[in-house]
Amino acid sequence: MPTYITLLNWTDQGVRAYQDTAKRYEAFKSALDKLGVKLLDFHWTVGPYDVVYAMEAPDDETATAASLQLSSLGNVRTTTLRAFDREEMDGIIAKAAA
């Protein structure tokens, strides 16, 4: 399955409710499970982003649906990046060289 890295920033609403962030994580993980998305890693961070997580989704549409569901709650804004592992990158390089 394709891998996606998502960078989150809390909105004003999300910061005001920072005490609930662990509960929101559990609800988010449950919502991902329902979409068939596997949460690989999740970290609260210091710096330009408040949270970084990695997920595997069946396709871009499902990954986008997951981000939309999360963002629609009003606590975060997301930036999602498609990530490639070594094997996928080898295939990309082979196609580019052809």
Side-chain angles (χ1 to χ4, degrees):
M1 274 201 289
T3 301
Y4 302 86
I5 308 296
T6 301
L7 311 171
L8 299 180
N9 282 40
W10 284 341
T11 62
D12 289 342
Q13 173 182 307
V15 170
R16 281 192 301 271
Y18 72 89
Q19 303 94 330
D20 297 331
T21 189
K23 292 176 189 172
R24 291 196 309 252
Y25 162 82
E26 292 300 332
F28 173 61
K29 187 169 179 342
S30 177
L32 289 181
D33 290 341
K34 290 177 186 173
L35 288 172
V37 174
K38 180 179 178 186
L39 187 61
L40 301 174
D41 220 352
F42 188 99
H43 298 281
W44 287 268
T45 57
V46 175
Y49 298 98
D50 299 309
V51 173
V52 176
Y53 70 86
M55 64 180 173
E56 285 183 344
D59 49 48
D60 290 346
E61 293 82 3
T62 305
T64 302
S67 291
L68 285 171
Q69 280 186 355
L70 177 62
S71 296
S72 72
L73 300 174
N75 294 308
V76 297
R77 288 190 174 71
T78 64
T79 301
T80 301
L81 311 165
R82 171 65 165 90
F84 301 95
D85 63 20
R86 174 62 190 264
E87 186 176 300
E88 290 170 315
M89 197 61 209
D90 285 343
I92 291 167
I93 291 168
K95 284 182 182 184

